Amino acid sequence: MSNVYSAPVQVLIDELGRLPGIGPKSAQRIAFHLLKGSEADALRLADAIKEAKARIQFCRRCFNITEHPECELCADPRRDPACLCVVEEPRDIVALEKTREFRGRYHVLGGAINPIEGIGPDQLRVKELLARIDNENVTEVICCTNPNIEGEATAMYLARLIEPLGVAVTRIASGLPVGGDLEYADELTLSRALEGRRRINAG
């Protein structure tokens, strides 16, 4: 395949193929769409990517994405600091906020425990979570990790760490399909999952 296209085109296809959910055929289709379009369209996309990379950072408290040192949710005094919702990625916060059910604060781990991919607790923001529980007088931690093997393992690990601290650790209810991702769930399903959360037995 590398001999079929000129080097710049192949590099573009290869880079697009590194994006999550984009296979070789999709990368090729997107590349040719960009090449067929106007130069202004391509440059506008390039500028948008550069601008986002230059201006967006992680919130110093919860690790959500933001333009400021602290995100809007952490800076909002109306949010309940005693209840902390732990998610894997910033996009999960967007899904949960659409339900308008949760009024606490968030903590983004940056992934889930996955030994096959070499991701352990040390690669996640677990230490930062424990520090927040201590410093912010948290009384409940809701584990909103994805309902798959990695998400369940992460929730159980967190429960074993946090329960001895005297903090209630709950898990969102099984309104979410096992093996699914939060970002693809509708508002009603997420709302019911939040309402039916249960305490995790770390036993």
Side-chain angles (χ1 to χ4, degrees):
M1 184 66 70
S2 59
N3 296 325
V4 176
Y5 304 116
S6 61
V9 176
Q10 188 60 49
V11 169
L12 177 59
I13 293 172
D14 291 343
E15 289 302 315
L16 290 169
R18 294 173 58 191
L19 298 172
I22 304 296
K25 289 185 178 179
S26 295
Q28 180 178 310
R29 193 159 44 245
I30 295 169
F32 278 98
H33 172 78
L34 292 172
L35 292 171
K36 187 172 68 174
S38 69
E39 183 178 357
D41 287 343
L43 291 176
R44 189 162 53 248
L45 174 61
D47 287 341
I49 294 171
K50 287 167 62 177
E51 183 80 358
K53 287 296 292 181
R55 294 177 57 181
I56 297 301
Q57 58 186 304
F58 289 116
C59 172
R60 63 187 175 192
R61 184 190 296 254
C62 75
F63 301 97
N64 188 15
I65 54 174
T66 177
E67 285 189 67
H68 311 288
E70 195 166 275
C71 73
E72 291 182 6
L73 296 172
C74 284
D76 187 349
R78 297 169 296 179
R79 310 289 300 205
D80 181 8
C83 189
L84 208 55
C85 183
V86 178
V87 297
E88 293 181 21
E89 302 291 349
R91 62 178 176 264
D92 299 329
I93 294 178
V94 176
L96 287 162
E97 281 298 291
K98 285 181 181 178
T99 70
R100 299 184 179 180
E101 290 286 336
F102 182 66
R103 297 302 304 163
R105 289 181 174 162
Y106 293 93
H107 185 84
V108 181
L109 290 173
I113 295 173
N114 189 339
I116 295 175
E117 294 187 5
I119 302 174
D122 291 341
Q123 280 72 53
L124 305 177
R125 300 186 185 100
V126 176
K127 290 179 182 177
E128 292 86 347
L129 172 61
L130 296 176
R132 289 188 66 189
I133 290 171
D134 184 43
N135 296 335
E136 299 177 24
N137 298 316
V138 174
T139 58
E140 181 187 6
V141 171
I142 307 172
C143 290
C144 278
T145 51
N146 287 320
N148 52 29
I149 294 173
E150 294 79 16
E152 291 293 336
T154 304
M156 289 300 298
Y157 175 81
L158 293 177
R160 291 192 185 100
L161 282 182
I162 297 168
E163 277 191 339
L165 304 177
V167 175
V169 183
T170 56
R171 179 87 168 111
I172 50 175
S174 56
L176 293 169
V178 175
D181 287 343
L182 286 177
E183 63 177 309
Y184 300 121
D186 61 90
E187 289 89 341
L188 180 59
T189 299
L190 274 171
S191 178
R192 288 177 176 172
L194 275 170
E195 289 174 2
R197 65 183 183 270
R198 53 182 169 78
R199 184 182 290 270
I200 296 176
N201 183 4

